[in-house]
Structures are given as C-alpha cells and as structure tokens.
Amino acid sequence: MDQFSLQGKVALITGASRGIGEAIAQTFAKAGAQVIVASRHLDNLEVVVQTIRGNGGEAFAIAAHMGDAGAVKLLVQQSIDLFGGIDVVVNNAGINPYWGSLLEAEESLWDKTLDVNLKGYFRLIREATPSMIERGGGKVINIASIAGLSPMPGVGLYGISKAAVIMLTKILAVELAPNNIQVNAIAPGFVKTRFSQAIWGDETVNQAVIDNTPAKRIADVDELMGLALYLATPASQYLTGQTIVIDGGLTLSTSNYGD
Ligand SMILES: NC(=O)c1ccc[n+]([C@@H]2O[C@H](COP(=O)([O-])OP(=O)(O)OC[C@H]3O[C@@H](n4cnc5c(N)ncnc54)[C@H](OP(=O)(O)O)[C@@H]3O)[C@@H](O)[C@H]2O)c1
C-alpha cells in the first residue's frame, strides 16, 4: 500500500476550513502528509488543525484569499518556511456568487468568479511548482465540477470558470510533465456541503437531482476521498491532464439536472 502513502510529503489545500477541502486535509494527514490548510478565516481553519493534531497528524493553518496574488505568494512562502517545501497542492477554494442568466451577470461578477475560481488556481500552481521541481516532482489536484462539462441552468458563469479549470489542468499537465509533476482535476456532481445547500436544502430541487442521478442520492464528502488520495500519491504517477467525473452517474443521465 506504499503507493497510497503520503508519508514525508507536504500538502497545501485551499478552501480547507470545511466541506470537500477539510475532508481532503483530514484524509491526507491520515495518509502521513504534513498539511497546510488555507482559506480566508483563520478561526475555522484552527478547528480543522486541532482535529488533525488530535488524530496524531501534523497540520498548520494559514489565512489567504485566493483572489489576492500577494496573499497566494505569501501562503506558499510561509508553507515552505514551515515544512521545507511543497509536494502536493489542492486547488479547492471556489465561489459561486451569481445565480441567473449569463447575459444578465454584471462584469464585476465575472471578475470575482474568475479571479478566485480560475486565476486563484493558476496563482497557487505558479507559486508552488518551483518547490516541487526542486524536490523532484509533485502533484496538483484542481477541483472542477460537472458544471464545467455540461451547461447547468442558473450557474453559467460558475460553469465557465470550471470549464476553464479543466483546460488549465490539461495545459499545465503538458507543461509540467517533464518535471514529473502530474496535474489532474476532479469534477464532482452534487456533494453535501454548505456550498450546495441551495440544492439539498430545497426539497423540490433536491428530489429532482436525486431522481436524475442514477445512484439516487447526492454524495457525502467522504465519497470523494479515495480519488483525491489516488491523485495525490505515487499510485497515479502515469496519470496526468485528466478530469475525473465523480457524480453517481448524473452526467450519464438523459435528463441531467432537473428543471
Ligand atoms: N459541493 C458541491 O456540490 C460541489 C460540486 C462540484 C464542485 N464543487 C467544488 O468543490 C470546491 C469546494 O466546495 P465545497 O462544496 O467544499 O464548498 P464549501 O463547503 O462552501 O467550502 C468552501 C471553502 O472555500 C473557502 N473559500 C471561499 N472563498 C475563498 C477565497 N476567496 N479564498 C480562499 N478560500 C476561500 C471557504 O473558507 P473561508 O470562508 O474561510 O474562506 C471554505 O473553506 C469548490 O471549488 C466547488 O466549486 C463543489
């Protein structure tokens, strides 16, 4: 099982104060990684750090807004100062500040969405790769979405940002392959977190999603962890540039997303 170990590795995870990012941080720490958890609010991150340490893991919290290039640079520098380098980055911090018709979205919302969901991902990779190269290789995991693969009503702007993440993943996979850095993406369907509360918190919408999902339920964060661990470890050494859909079959359904 050494192929699935993160012993001796340093992993930096954004959006790790709750939801998918927190679960990834807990999972990677259990697999032996020294973990840096990042998001905007330090108090929430400290709770995650305490849980990881309580389970015998090593973790440190750093507050950073992924829409702020200077903050991302500092996040990476502080992580290197703390643990000596970076082997794995997980770009997970994402926002969806606009629901509605794409044609009616203000330009400021385009800027906000792309700044965090796309440029934020790029910034972190750009800052972290020199350390990975110095250490002989690394892993990048970008959290995309099935909304980046098929048009989803009401979240077109978010979907565009996630489609761009999928292309970013491919381009950087090619550019970084000679440095032994694998760059892959995870495209989840609906996962029960605060982010998706508008879906599972509304009985009608939730039922429509469940009806259209072959697995007949939305995912729990834990159901993404095997894939996240695979993409972070030597087990996936020859896999790069791929976006792996994990959606209970929703994108295979003929009437994908309900009304
Ligand atoms: N849940 C789903 O159904 C679903 C489906 C497909 C894809 N995804 C993707 O999965 C990722 C994680 O989503 P989630 O469901 O786990 O969401 P979540 O529970 O709402 O967590 C979002 C995390 O991102 C952080 N964050 C938000 N804006 C940030 C910023 N500007 N800079 C730094 N951190 C920021 C939040 O912490 P702070 O508030 O402390 O900053 C929090 O830790 C996102 O990229 C999302 O697009 C989710």
Side-chain angles (χ1 to χ4, degrees), residues 87-90 132 137-141 180-184 230-239:
D87 303 290
V88 180
V89 292
V90 182
M132 292 181 180
K139 298 281 190 179
V140 175
I141 303 171
N180 189 31
I181 297 172
Q182 289 80 49
V183 185
N184 291 292
Y230 169 65
L231 294 179
T233 55
S236 59
Q237 209 64 1
Y238 200 58
L239 185 89

Side-chain angles (χ1 to χ4, degrees), residues 15-21 38-41 44 64-67 92-95 116 121 143-145 158 162 188-191 193-196:
S17 62
R18 59 174 187 262
I20 297 169
S39 80
R40 291 164 303 176
H41 300 107
N44 298 334
H65 190 312
M66 302 313 289
N92 167 77
I95 57 168
V116 175
Y121 279 29
I143 307 300
S145 167
Y158 169 78
K162 293 299 188 179
F190 294 104
V191 187
T193 66
R194 191 191 300 180
F195 188 83
S196 57

